[in-house]
Amino acid sequence: MTDTKIKALKPKTNRYRISDTGGLLLEVMISGAKIWRYRYQLHGVRQPTLTIGSYPEISLAQARKQRDEWASLVAMGESPKRAVQAARTEKLNTVRAFAEAWQADQLPGKSESYTRTIKRIMSKDVYPVLGGTPLGEVKPADVLELCERIKSRGSPKMALLTRNVLKRMYDFAVAKQMAENNPAAALVARFIATEESRTRVLTPKEIGEVLRGIYGSDIRQALKLALHLLVITMVRKSELTEARWDEFDLDAGIWDIPAERMKKDQPHRVYLSRQAVEMLNELRAYAGHSAYLFPSPRGIEDKPISKSTLNQAVRALSLDVQHFVLHDFRRTASTHLHEMGHPSDAIEKALAHKINGIKGVYNRAQYADQRKMILQAWADFVQVQVDGGRVTPLFRSA
């Protein structure tokens, strides 16, 4: 076999193989792809062929070298297949390496929001702490310490979700015989957090203090507006930071968030208050020609700010309001709107929460008038707290 002969091989209606020597084969696929295989017998019994790789990525010389290495193992009565599996296991030895392989195997076909959440958990929390640790050396205490670290920043639900993700990953590792035990399974979920772990609701006074602190800081005006919009639109952080201008109809006062950016994979309509429209008009000047409301100031690629930008901006402030995270704004809005007497179903729809039963059947116009009234009432309520005796408004008209 020579390179000239290999290049001359053409695909046929059925795949076929040609032999080199010593068990080395080249299989020509119907598509025209050419795959190196190794055929061998062990203890007199023919074994399934092993794949070496594709030609020309694997050259003839490289394929012969691999054949010789495997033939040496066979001559000593050892299985080259087991050697391949051992090498793969060694390559996937660390938590990070195995997690990436697990995601490649398990995430295809999953929803975009689920995929995004898994990757965020790994990159933000798991890799920095456990990424370089050998997969089999992670102990329950290590997982607990990681969860406690996440809880310490005010995110108990994320801590619980991280434990659950690691449990699923280690279930996979145990099934693949890559690990003997599941360290995350040893942690009782309720000891980490429950679904109702956070109950923090900002008082009206605290709402004013937070936003006045934001506007009085030296962070970029676009981020100040982002945080104010996060409060009065009642959306989740990523739904705002990744927003695109083509989702908005400012004349109609409507923001349509596509399903792929929503937690429940259902499109969501936000009815914009007067204040929100004014802030969005101001934001256009800061966004420039970007497709995003909040373009990243780094690099030349047009992409939105990172998911952590708003958290970092708030943490950098010297606020007197303690023990709150940005997601508490949604609970705060819900609590005060219920206290004002607004309909619960309309509030839940405004928060993009699922309503069970026949009332929960998705309809874009459902509770539209009530939701418009709710979001305007909430924006007005927030503005009263923010103004707090101030004469000048805290946002500028376009």
PDB file of all heavy atoms in Angstrom, residues 214-215 218-230 240-241 245 279-280 282-288 292-297 305 309-310 313 396:
ATOM      1  N   ILE A 214     -26.983  52.398  43.428  1.00  0.00           N
ATOM      2  CA  ILE A 214     -26.520  52.048  42.081  1.00  0.00           C
ATOM      3  C   ILE A 214     -26.303  53.310  41.251  1.00  0.00           C
ATOM      4  O   ILE A 214     -25.259  53.493  40.612  1.00  0.00           O
ATOM      5  CB  ILE A 214     -27.535  51.111  41.402  1.00  0.00           C
ATOM      6  CG1 ILE A 214     -27.491  49.732  42.066  1.00  0.00           C
ATOM      7  CG2 ILE A 214     -27.282  51.017  39.894  1.00  0.00           C
ATOM      8  CD1 ILE A 214     -28.625  48.806  41.675  1.00  0.00           C
ATOM      9  N   TYR A 215     -27.298  54.197  41.252  1.00  0.00           N
ATOM     10  CA  TYR A 215     -27.184  55.412  40.441  1.00  0.00           C
ATOM     11  C   TYR A 215     -26.128  56.371  40.971  1.00  0.00           C
ATOM     12  O   TYR A 215     -25.569  57.175  40.235  1.00  0.00           O
ATOM     13  CB  TYR A 215     -28.537  56.121  40.337  1.00  0.00           C
ATOM     14  CG  TYR A 215     -29.430  55.522  39.268  1.00  0.00           C
ATOM     15  CD1 TYR A 215     -30.471  54.667  39.602  1.00  0.00           C
ATOM     16  CD2 TYR A 215     -29.203  55.800  37.928  1.00  0.00           C
ATOM     17  CE1 TYR A 215     -31.286  54.114  38.633  1.00  0.00           C
ATOM     18  CE2 TYR A 215     -30.016  55.251  36.948  1.00  0.00           C
ATOM     19  CZ  TYR A 215     -31.054  54.408  37.297  1.00  0.00           C
ATOM     20  OH  TYR A 215     -31.849  53.855  36.322  1.00  0.00           O
ATOM     21  N   ASP A 218     -20.062  54.795  40.517  1.00  0.00           N
ATOM     22  CA  ASP A 218     -19.327  55.164  39.313  1.00  0.00           C
ATOM     23  C   ASP A 218     -19.322  54.053  38.268  1.00  0.00           C
ATOM     24  O   ASP A 218     -18.492  54.063  37.348  1.00  0.00           O
ATOM     25  CB  ASP A 218     -17.878  55.542  39.662  1.00  0.00           C
ATOM     26  CG  ASP A 218     -17.135  54.407  40.365  1.00  0.00           C
ATOM     27  OD1 ASP A 218     -17.755  53.345  40.571  1.00  0.00           O
ATOM     28  OD2 ASP A 218     -15.948  54.595  40.692  1.00  0.00           O
ATOM     29  N   ILE A 219     -20.239  53.075  38.367  1.00  0.00           N
ATOM     30  CA  ILE A 219     -20.319  52.057  37.314  1.00  0.00           C
ATOM     31  C   ILE A 219     -20.919  52.682  36.062  1.00  0.00           C
ATOM     32  O   ILE A 219     -21.522  53.755  36.105  1.00  0.00           O
ATOM     33  CB  ILE A 219     -21.155  50.838  37.760  1.00  0.00           C
ATOM     34  CG1 ILE A 219     -22.625  51.233  38.010  1.00  0.00           C
ATOM     35  CG2 ILE A 219     -20.557  50.186  38.982  1.00  0.00           C
ATOM     36  CD1 ILE A 219     -23.513  50.032  38.325  1.00  0.00           C
ATOM     37  N   ARG A 220     -20.753  52.021  34.945  1.00  0.00           N
ATOM     38  CA  ARG A 220     -21.226  52.558  33.671  1.00  0.00           C
ATOM     39  C   ARG A 220     -22.735  52.786  33.704  1.00  0.00           C
ATOM     40  O   ARG A 220     -23.484  52.014  34.293  1.00  0.00           O
ATOM     41  CB  ARG A 220     -20.879  51.602  32.527  1.00  0.00           C
ATOM     42  CG  ARG A 220     -19.390  51.524  32.212  1.00  0.00           C
ATOM     43  CD  ARG A 220     -19.124  50.627  31.020  1.00  0.00           C
ATOM     44  NE  ARG A 220     -19.294  49.218  31.321  1.00  0.00           N
ATOM     45  CZ  ARG A 220     -20.060  48.392  30.612  1.00  0.00           C
ATOM     46  NH1 ARG A 220     -20.760  48.856  29.597  1.00  0.00           N
ATOM     47  NH2 ARG A 220     -20.150  47.110  30.932  1.00  0.00           N
ATOM     48  N   GLN A 221     -23.167  53.868  33.037  1.00  0.00           N
ATOM     49  CA  GLN A 221     -24.589  54.200  32.991  1.00  0.00           C
ATOM     50  C   GLN A 221     -25.417  53.052  32.427  1.00  0.00           C
ATOM     51  O   GLN A 221     -26.522  52.785  32.884  1.00  0.00           O
ATOM     52  CB  GLN A 221     -24.814  55.467  32.152  1.00  0.00           C
ATOM     53  CG  GLN A 221     -26.271  55.890  31.995  1.00  0.00           C
ATOM     54  CD  GLN A 221     -26.913  56.401  33.279  1.00  0.00           C
ATOM     55  OE1 GLN A 221     -26.238  56.524  34.308  1.00  0.00           O
ATOM     56  NE2 GLN A 221     -28.200  56.710  33.225  1.00  0.00           N
ATOM     57  N   ALA A 222     -24.881  52.345  31.431  1.00  0.00           N
ATOM     58  CA  ALA A 222     -25.628  51.230  30.845  1.00  0.00           C
ATOM     59  C   ALA A 222     -25.912  50.153  31.891  1.00  0.00           C
ATOM     60  O   ALA A 222     -26.995  49.557  31.893  1.00  0.00           O
ATOM     61  CB  ALA A 222     -24.849  50.634  29.667  1.00  0.00           C
ATOM     62  N   LEU A 223     -24.971  49.911  32.786  1.00  0.00           N
ATOM     63  CA  LEU A 223     -25.190  48.902  33.827  1.00  0.00           C
ATOM     64  C   LEU A 223     -26.178  49.403  34.874  1.00  0.00           C
ATOM     65  O   LEU A 223     -26.942  48.619  35.443  1.00  0.00           O
ATOM     66  CB  LEU A 223     -23.864  48.526  34.483  1.00  0.00           C
ATOM     67  CG  LEU A 223     -22.821  47.866  33.582  1.00  0.00           C
ATOM     68  CD1 LEU A 223     -21.602  47.446  34.391  1.00  0.00           C
ATOM     69  CD2 LEU A 223     -23.410  46.657  32.854  1.00  0.00           C
ATOM     70  N   LYS A 224     -26.161  50.696  35.153  1.00  0.00           N
ATOM     71  CA  LYS A 224     -27.160  51.260  36.071  1.00  0.00           C
ATOM     72  C   LYS A 224     -28.562  51.048  35.513  1.00  0.00           C
ATOM     73  O   LYS A 224     -29.478  50.621  36.227  1.00  0.00           O
ATOM     74  CB  LYS A 224     -26.897  52.748  36.269  1.00  0.00           C
ATOM     75  CG  LYS A 224     -25.572  53.077  36.944  1.00  0.00           C
ATOM     76  CD  LYS A 224     -25.359  54.574  37.021  1.00  0.00           C
ATOM     77  CE  LYS A 224     -23.992  54.913  37.642  1.00  0.00           C
ATOM     78  NZ  LYS A 224     -23.754  56.370  37.706  1.00  0.00           N
ATOM     79  N   LEU A 225     -28.713  51.319  34.216  1.00  0.00           N
ATOM     80  CA  LEU A 225     -30.016  51.126  33.581  1.00  0.00           C
ATOM     81  C   LEU A 225     -30.387  49.640  33.555  1.00  0.00           C
ATOM     82  O   LEU A 225     -31.557  49.286  33.720  1.00  0.00           O
ATOM     83  CB  LEU A 225     -29.993  51.691  32.163  1.00  0.00           C
ATOM     84  CG  LEU A 225     -29.810  53.212  32.066  1.00  0.00           C
ATOM     85  CD1 LEU A 225     -29.592  53.628  30.623  1.00  0.00           C
ATOM     86  CD2 LEU A 225     -31.015  53.948  32.651  1.00  0.00           C
ATOM     87  N   ALA A 226     -29.399  48.786  33.338  1.00  0.00           N
ATOM     88  CA  ALA A 226     -29.661  47.344  33.321  1.00  0.00           C
ATOM     89  C   ALA A 226     -30.228  46.881  34.656  1.00  0.00           C
ATOM     90  O   ALA A 226     -31.204  46.118  34.701  1.00  0.00           O
ATOM     91  CB  ALA A 226     -28.374  46.589  32.998  1.00  0.00           C
ATOM     92  N   LEU A 227     -29.635  47.326  35.731  1.00  0.00           N
ATOM     93  CA  LEU A 227     -30.100  46.917  37.059  1.00  0.00           C
ATOM     94  C   LEU A 227     -31.496  47.463  37.359  1.00  0.00           C
ATOM     95  O   LEU A 227     -32.325  46.773  37.964  1.00  0.00           O
ATOM     96  CB  LEU A 227     -29.094  47.369  38.117  1.00  0.00           C
ATOM     97  CG  LEU A 227     -27.763  46.609  38.081  1.00  0.00           C
ATOM     98  CD1 LEU A 227     -26.676  47.373  38.837  1.00  0.00           C
ATOM     99  CD2 LEU A 227     -27.927  45.205  38.664  1.00  0.00           C
ATOM    100  N   HIS A 228     -31.755  48.687  36.930  1.00  0.00           N
ATOM    101  CA  HIS A 228     -33.091  49.266  37.121  1.00  0.00           C
ATOM    102  C   HIS A 228     -34.116  48.491  36.295  1.00  0.00           C
ATOM    103  O   HIS A 228     -35.208  48.161  36.771  1.00  0.00           O
ATOM    104  CB  HIS A 228     -33.068  50.739  36.723  1.00  0.00           C
ATOM    105  CG  HIS A 228     -34.212  51.517  37.285  1.00  0.00           C
ATOM    106  ND1 HIS A 228     -34.158  52.874  37.482  1.00  0.00           N
ATOM    107  CD2 HIS A 228     -35.455  51.158  37.692  1.00  0.00           C
ATOM    108  CE1 HIS A 228     -35.316  53.306  37.974  1.00  0.00           C
ATOM    109  NE2 HIS A 228     -36.111  52.273  38.109  1.00  0.00           N
ATOM    110  N   LEU A 229     -33.756  48.162  35.039  1.00  0.00           N
ATOM    111  CA  LEU A 229     -34.657  47.384  34.189  1.00  0.00           C
ATOM    112  C   LEU A 229     -34.898  45.993  34.755  1.00  0.00           C
ATOM    113  O   LEU A 229     -36.000  45.451  34.646  1.00  0.00           O
ATOM    114  CB  LEU A 229     -34.072  47.269  32.774  1.00  0.00           C
ATOM    115  CG  LEU A 229     -34.228  48.501  31.883  1.00  0.00           C
ATOM    116  CD1 LEU A 229     -33.347  48.380  30.649  1.00  0.00           C
ATOM    117  CD2 LEU A 229     -35.698  48.673  31.470  1.00  0.00           C
ATOM    118  N   LEU A 230     -33.876  45.420  35.370  1.00  0.00           N
ATOM    119  CA  LEU A 230     -34.027  44.094  35.962  1.00  0.00           C
ATOM    120  C   LEU A 230     -35.105  44.115  37.042  1.00  0.00           C
ATOM    121  O   LEU A 230     -35.881  43.169  37.179  1.00  0.00           O
ATOM    122  CB  LEU A 230     -32.693  43.640  36.555  1.00  0.00           C
ATOM    123  CG  LEU A 230     -32.611  42.189  37.025  1.00  0.00           C
ATOM    124  CD1 LEU A 230     -32.770  41.229  35.855  1.00  0.00           C
ATOM    125  CD2 LEU A 230     -31.293  41.936  37.743  1.00  0.00           C
ATOM    126  N   LEU A 240     -32.346  39.360  30.521  1.00  0.00           N
ATOM    127  CA  LEU A 240     -32.072  40.775  30.245  1.00  0.00           C
ATOM    128  C   LEU A 240     -30.690  40.959  29.625  1.00  0.00           C
ATOM    129  O   LEU A 240     -30.550  41.640  28.603  1.00  0.00           O
ATOM    130  CB  LEU A 240     -32.169  41.593  31.537  1.00  0.00           C
ATOM    131  CG  LEU A 240     -31.846  43.082  31.385  1.00  0.00           C
ATOM    132  CD1 LEU A 240     -32.910  43.780  30.545  1.00  0.00           C
ATOM    133  CD2 LEU A 240     -31.712  43.755  32.746  1.00  0.00           C
ATOM    134  N   THR A 241     -29.669  40.356  30.221  1.00  0.00           N
ATOM    135  CA  THR A 241     -28.305  40.625  29.742  1.00  0.00           C
ATOM    136  C   THR A 241     -28.073  40.109  28.328  1.00  0.00           C
ATOM    137  O   THR A 241     -27.224  40.632  27.607  1.00  0.00           O
ATOM    138  CB  THR A 241     -27.255  40.010  30.681  1.00  0.00           C
ATOM    139  OG1 THR A 241     -27.471  38.597  30.792  1.00  0.00           O
ATOM    140  CG2 THR A 241     -27.330  40.646  32.059  1.00  0.00           C
ATOM    141  N   TRP A 245     -31.923  43.734  20.351  1.00  0.00           N
ATOM    142  CA  TRP A 245     -32.809  44.823  19.961  1.00  0.00           C
ATOM    143  C   TRP A 245     -33.966  44.341  19.095  1.00  0.00           C
ATOM    144  O   TRP A 245     -35.056  44.923  19.125  1.00  0.00           O
ATOM    145  CB  TRP A 245     -32.026  45.921  19.248  1.00  0.00           C
ATOM    146  CG  TRP A 245     -31.177  46.734  20.175  1.00  0.00           C
ATOM    147  CD1 TRP A 245     -29.831  46.746  20.263  1.00  0.00           C
ATOM    148  CD2 TRP A 245     -31.650  47.658  21.179  1.00  0.00           C
ATOM    149  NE1 TRP A 245     -29.406  47.605  21.257  1.00  0.00           N
ATOM    150  CE2 TRP A 245     -30.507  48.181  21.826  1.00  0.00           C
ATOM    151  CE3 TRP A 245     -32.916  48.084  21.593  1.00  0.00           C
ATOM    152  CZ2 TRP A 245     -30.597  49.110  22.863  1.00  0.00           C
ATOM    153  CZ3 TRP A 245     -33.004  49.009  22.618  1.00  0.00           C
ATOM    154  CH2 TRP A 245     -31.855  49.511  23.241  1.00  0.00           C
ATOM    155  N   MET A 279     -35.866  54.142  29.418  1.00  0.00           N
ATOM    156  CA  MET A 279     -34.525  53.611  29.664  1.00  0.00           C
ATOM    157  C   MET A 279     -33.974  52.914  28.424  1.00  0.00           C
ATOM    158  O   MET A 279     -32.787  53.040  28.092  1.00  0.00           O
ATOM    159  CB  MET A 279     -34.564  52.633  30.839  1.00  0.00           C
ATOM    160  CG  MET A 279     -34.876  53.272  32.172  1.00  0.00           C
ATOM    161  SD  MET A 279     -34.905  52.006  33.474  1.00  0.00           S
ATOM    162  CE  MET A 279     -35.922  52.845  34.689  1.00  0.00           C
ATOM    163  N   LEU A 280     -34.830  52.174  27.737  1.00  0.00           N
ATOM    164  CA  LEU A 280     -34.386  51.461  26.540  1.00  0.00           C
ATOM    165  C   LEU A 280     -33.997  52.442  25.435  1.00  0.00           C
ATOM    166  O   LEU A 280     -33.025  52.206  24.709  1.00  0.00           O
ATOM    167  CB  LEU A 280     -35.495  50.511  26.064  1.00  0.00           C
ATOM    168  CG  LEU A 280     -35.706  49.295  26.969  1.00  0.00           C
ATOM    169  CD1 LEU A 280     -37.040  48.629  26.686  1.00  0.00           C
ATOM    170  CD2 LEU A 280     -34.571  48.293  26.784  1.00  0.00           C
ATOM    171  N   GLU A 282     -32.746  55.350  25.938  1.00  0.00           N
ATOM    172  CA  GLU A 282     -31.437  55.869  26.337  1.00  0.00           C
ATOM    173  C   GLU A 282     -30.339  54.855  26.052  1.00  0.00           C
ATOM    174  O   GLU A 282     -29.233  55.204  25.623  1.00  0.00           O
ATOM    175  CB  GLU A 282     -31.437  56.223  27.825  1.00  0.00           C
ATOM    176  CG  GLU A 282     -30.092  56.798  28.294  1.00  0.00           C
ATOM    177  CD  GLU A 282     -30.066  57.159  29.770  1.00  0.00           C
ATOM    178  OE1 GLU A 282     -31.153  57.258  30.371  1.00  0.00           O
ATOM    179  OE2 GLU A 282     -28.959  57.332  30.305  1.00  0.00           O
ATOM    180  N   LEU A 283     -30.632  53.577  26.266  1.00  0.00           N
ATOM    181  CA  LEU A 283     -29.636  52.534  26.065  1.00  0.00           C
ATOM    182  C   LEU A 283     -29.160  52.436  24.628  1.00  0.00           C
ATOM    183  O   LEU A 283     -28.034  52.006  24.362  1.00  0.00           O
ATOM    184  CB  LEU A 283     -30.199  51.175  26.493  1.00  0.00           C
ATOM    185  CG  LEU A 283     -30.071  50.815  27.971  1.00  0.00           C
ATOM    186  CD1 LEU A 283     -30.850  49.544  28.266  1.00  0.00           C
ATOM    187  CD2 LEU A 283     -28.601  50.619  28.343  1.00  0.00           C
ATOM    188  N   ARG A 284     -29.998  52.816  23.669  1.00  0.00           N
ATOM    189  CA  ARG A 284     -29.607  52.728  22.263  1.00  0.00           C
ATOM    190  C   ARG A 284     -28.314  53.490  22.009  1.00  0.00           C
ATOM    191  O   ARG A 284     -27.471  53.066  21.217  1.00  0.00           O
ATOM    192  CB  ARG A 284     -30.715  53.271  21.365  1.00  0.00           C
ATOM    193  CG  ARG A 284     -31.843  52.289  21.126  1.00  0.00           C
ATOM    194  CD  ARG A 284     -32.702  52.723  19.962  1.00  0.00           C
ATOM    195  NE  ARG A 284     -33.760  51.779  19.683  1.00  0.00           N
ATOM    196  CZ  ARG A 284     -33.622  50.655  18.978  1.00  0.00           C
ATOM    197  NH1 ARG A 284     -32.424  50.332  18.513  1.00  0.00           N
ATOM    198  NH2 ARG A 284     -34.643  49.858  18.751  1.00  0.00           N
ATOM    199  N   ALA A 285     -28.164  54.632  22.679  1.00  0.00           N
ATOM    200  CA  ALA A 285     -26.956  55.440  22.475  1.00  0.00           C
ATOM    201  C   ALA A 285     -25.720  54.715  22.980  1.00  0.00           C
ATOM    202  O   ALA A 285     -24.634  54.848  22.410  1.00  0.00           O
ATOM    203  CB  ALA A 285     -27.109  56.786  23.176  1.00  0.00           C
ATOM    204  N   TYR A 286     -25.870  53.932  24.054  1.00  0.00           N
ATOM    205  CA  TYR A 286     -24.729  53.216  24.613  1.00  0.00           C
ATOM    206  C   TYR A 286     -24.443  51.929  23.844  1.00  0.00           C
ATOM    207  O   TYR A 286     -23.297  51.467  23.811  1.00  0.00           O
ATOM    208  CB  TYR A 286     -24.980  52.886  26.089  1.00  0.00           C
ATOM    209  CG  TYR A 286     -25.201  54.098  26.951  1.00  0.00           C
ATOM    210  CD1 TYR A 286     -26.457  54.385  27.485  1.00  0.00           C
ATOM    211  CD2 TYR A 286     -24.157  54.975  27.219  1.00  0.00           C
ATOM    212  CE1 TYR A 286     -26.664  55.509  28.270  1.00  0.00           C
ATOM    213  CE2 TYR A 286     -24.349  56.100  28.000  1.00  0.00           C
ATOM    214  CZ  TYR A 286     -25.608  56.364  28.521  1.00  0.00           C
ATOM    215  OH  TYR A 286     -25.806  57.483  29.291  1.00  0.00           O
ATOM    216  N   ALA A 287     -25.467  51.340  23.228  1.00  0.00           N
ATOM    217  CA  ALA A 287     -25.294  50.074  22.516  1.00  0.00           C
ATOM    218  C   ALA A 287     -24.620  50.244  21.165  1.00  0.00           C
ATOM    219  O   ALA A 287     -24.050  49.298  20.626  1.00  0.00           O
ATOM    220  CB  ALA A 287     -26.646  49.374  22.347  1.00  0.00           C
ATOM    221  N   GLY A 288     -24.691  51.451  20.602  1.00  0.00           N
ATOM    222  CA  GLY A 288     -24.073  51.684  19.301  1.00  0.00           C
ATOM    223  C   GLY A 288     -24.738  50.832  18.230  1.00  0.00           C
ATOM    224  O   GLY A 288     -25.966  50.776  18.123  1.00  0.00           O
ATOM    225  N   TYR A 292     -27.057  43.681  20.540  1.00  0.00           N
ATOM    226  CA  TYR A 292     -27.446  43.442  21.934  1.00  0.00           C
ATOM    227  C   TYR A 292     -27.668  44.747  22.686  1.00  0.00           C
ATOM    228  O   TYR A 292     -27.027  45.765  22.402  1.00  0.00           O
ATOM    229  CB  TYR A 292     -26.360  42.630  22.644  1.00  0.00           C
ATOM    230  CG  TYR A 292     -26.160  41.262  22.065  1.00  0.00           C
ATOM    231  CD1 TYR A 292     -25.164  41.027  21.125  1.00  0.00           C
ATOM    232  CD2 TYR A 292     -26.971  40.208  22.442  1.00  0.00           C
ATOM    233  CE1 TYR A 292     -24.972  39.754  20.575  1.00  0.00           C
ATOM    234  CE2 TYR A 292     -26.799  38.937  21.903  1.00  0.00           C
ATOM    235  CZ  TYR A 292     -25.803  38.720  20.962  1.00  0.00           C
ATOM    236  OH  TYR A 292     -25.632  37.478  20.431  1.00  0.00           O
ATOM    237  N   LEU A 293     -28.555  44.700  23.681  1.00  0.00           N
ATOM    238  CA  LEU A 293     -28.772  45.863  24.533  1.00  0.00           C
ATOM    239  C   LEU A 293     -27.516  46.200  25.321  1.00  0.00           C
ATOM    240  O   LEU A 293     -27.192  47.374  25.514  1.00  0.00           O
ATOM    241  CB  LEU A 293     -29.917  45.588  25.526  1.00  0.00           C
ATOM    242  CG  LEU A 293     -31.337  45.943  25.098  1.00  0.00           C
ATOM    243  CD1 LEU A 293     -31.769  45.073  23.919  1.00  0.00           C
ATOM    244  CD2 LEU A 293     -32.312  45.766  26.263  1.00  0.00           C
ATOM    245  N   PHE A 294     -26.839  45.154  25.779  1.00  0.00           N
ATOM    246  CA  PHE A 294     -25.673  45.359  26.638  1.00  0.00           C
ATOM    247  C   PHE A 294     -24.465  44.649  26.033  1.00  0.00           C
ATOM    248  O   PHE A 294     -24.092  43.549  26.471  1.00  0.00           O
ATOM    249  CB  PHE A 294     -25.962  44.832  28.059  1.00  0.00           C
ATOM    250  CG  PHE A 294     -27.209  45.410  28.661  1.00  0.00           C
ATOM    251  CD1 PHE A 294     -28.388  44.679  28.669  1.00  0.00           C
ATOM    252  CD2 PHE A 294     -27.211  46.699  29.182  1.00  0.00           C
ATOM    253  CE1 PHE A 294     -29.550  45.210  29.206  1.00  0.00           C
ATOM    254  CE2 PHE A 294     -28.362  47.230  29.727  1.00  0.00           C
ATOM    255  CZ  PHE A 294     -29.541  46.494  29.737  1.00  0.00           C
ATOM    256  N   PRO A 295     -23.867  45.250  25.010  1.00  0.00           N
ATOM    257  CA  PRO A 295     -22.719  44.603  24.360  1.00  0.00           C
ATOM    258  C   PRO A 295     -21.498  44.583  25.271  1.00  0.00           C
ATOM    259  O   PRO A 295     -21.276  45.490  26.070  1.00  0.00           O
ATOM    260  CB  PRO A 295     -22.482  45.472  23.125  1.00  0.00           C
ATOM    261  CG  PRO A 295     -23.035  46.808  23.498  1.00  0.00           C
ATOM    262  CD  PRO A 295     -24.212  46.539  24.381  1.00  0.00           C
ATOM    263  N   SER A 296     -20.731  43.514  25.141  1.00  0.00           N
ATOM    264  CA  SER A 296     -19.493  43.415  25.912  1.00  0.00           C
ATOM    265  C   SER A 296     -18.493  44.448  25.405  1.00  0.00           C
ATOM    266  O   SER A 296     -18.318  44.603  24.197  1.00  0.00           O
ATOM    267  CB  SER A 296     -18.905  42.017  25.779  1.00  0.00           C
ATOM    268  OG  SER A 296     -17.625  41.959  26.379  1.00  0.00           O
ATOM    269  N   PRO A 297     -17.825  45.160  26.316  1.00  0.00           N
ATOM    270  CA  PRO A 297     -16.833  46.140  25.897  1.00  0.00           C
ATOM    271  C   PRO A 297     -15.498  45.501  25.517  1.00  0.00           C
ATOM    272  O   PRO A 297     -14.585  46.195  25.080  1.00  0.00           O
ATOM    273  CB  PRO A 297     -16.681  47.029  27.138  1.00  0.00           C
ATOM    274  CG  PRO A 297     -16.962  46.115  28.283  1.00  0.00           C
ATOM    275  CD  PRO A 297     -18.008  45.144  27.785  1.00  0.00           C
ATOM    276  N   ILE A 305     -22.722  41.240  27.436  1.00  0.00           N
ATOM    277  CA  ILE A 305     -21.906  41.183  28.644  1.00  0.00           C
ATOM    278  C   ILE A 305     -22.047  39.802  29.277  1.00  0.00           C
ATOM    279  O   ILE A 305     -23.018  39.084  29.031  1.00  0.00           O
ATOM    280  CB  ILE A 305     -22.320  42.267  29.659  1.00  0.00           C
ATOM    281  CG1 ILE A 305     -23.815  42.138  30.024  1.00  0.00           C
ATOM    282  CG2 ILE A 305     -21.994  43.650  29.131  1.00  0.00           C
ATOM    283  CD1 ILE A 305     -24.278  43.122  31.077  1.00  0.00           C
ATOM    284  N   THR A 309     -21.574  39.947  35.091  1.00  0.00           N
ATOM    285  CA  THR A 309     -21.271  41.385  35.111  1.00  0.00           C
ATOM    286  C   THR A 309     -22.129  42.148  36.109  1.00  0.00           C
ATOM    287  O   THR A 309     -21.618  42.966  36.885  1.00  0.00           O
ATOM    288  CB  THR A 309     -21.443  41.991  33.703  1.00  0.00           C
ATOM    289  OG1 THR A 309     -20.552  41.339  32.799  1.00  0.00           O
ATOM    290  CG2 THR A 309     -21.131  43.482  33.717  1.00  0.00           C
ATOM    291  N   LEU A 310     -23.433  41.906  36.109  1.00  0.00           N
ATOM    292  CA  LEU A 310     -24.315  42.643  37.006  1.00  0.00           C
ATOM    293  C   LEU A 310     -24.057  42.265  38.464  1.00  0.00           C
ATOM    294  O   LEU A 310     -24.100  43.128  39.347  1.00  0.00           O
ATOM    295  CB  LEU A 310     -25.780  42.398  36.642  1.00  0.00           C
ATOM    296  CG  LEU A 310     -26.214  42.888  35.242  1.00  0.00           C
ATOM    297  CD1 LEU A 310     -27.713  42.696  35.059  1.00  0.00           C
ATOM    298  CD2 LEU A 310     -25.836  44.349  35.033  1.00  0.00           C
ATOM    299  N   ALA A 313     -20.994  44.110  39.509  1.00  0.00           N
ATOM    300  CA  ALA A 313     -21.262  45.540  39.674  1.00  0.00           C
ATOM    301  C   ALA A 313     -21.894  45.826  41.029  1.00  0.00           C
ATOM    302  O   ALA A 313     -21.517  46.777  41.728  1.00  0.00           O
ATOM    303  CB  ALA A 313     -22.167  46.034  38.543  1.00  0.00           C
ATOM    304  N   ARG A 396     -32.856  59.262  32.202  1.00  0.00           N
ATOM    305  CA  ARG A 396     -33.026  60.389  31.295  1.00  0.00           C
ATOM    306  C   ARG A 396     -33.881  59.983  30.112  1.00  0.00           C
ATOM    307  O   ARG A 396     -33.786  58.863  29.599  1.00  0.00           O
ATOM    308  CB  ARG A 396     -31.662  60.873  30.785  1.00  0.00           C
ATOM    309  CG  ARG A 396     -30.736  61.337  31.894  1.00  0.00           C
ATOM    310  CD  ARG A 396     -29.559  62.058  31.298  1.00  0.00           C
ATOM    311  NE  ARG A 396     -28.746  61.185  30.468  1.00  0.00           N
ATOM    312  CZ  ARG A 396     -27.778  60.420  30.914  1.00  0.00           C
ATOM    313  NH1 ARG A 396     -27.527  60.378  32.222  1.00  0.00           N
ATOM    314  NH2 ARG A 396     -27.055  59.661  30.108  1.00  0.00           N
TER     315      ARG A 396
END
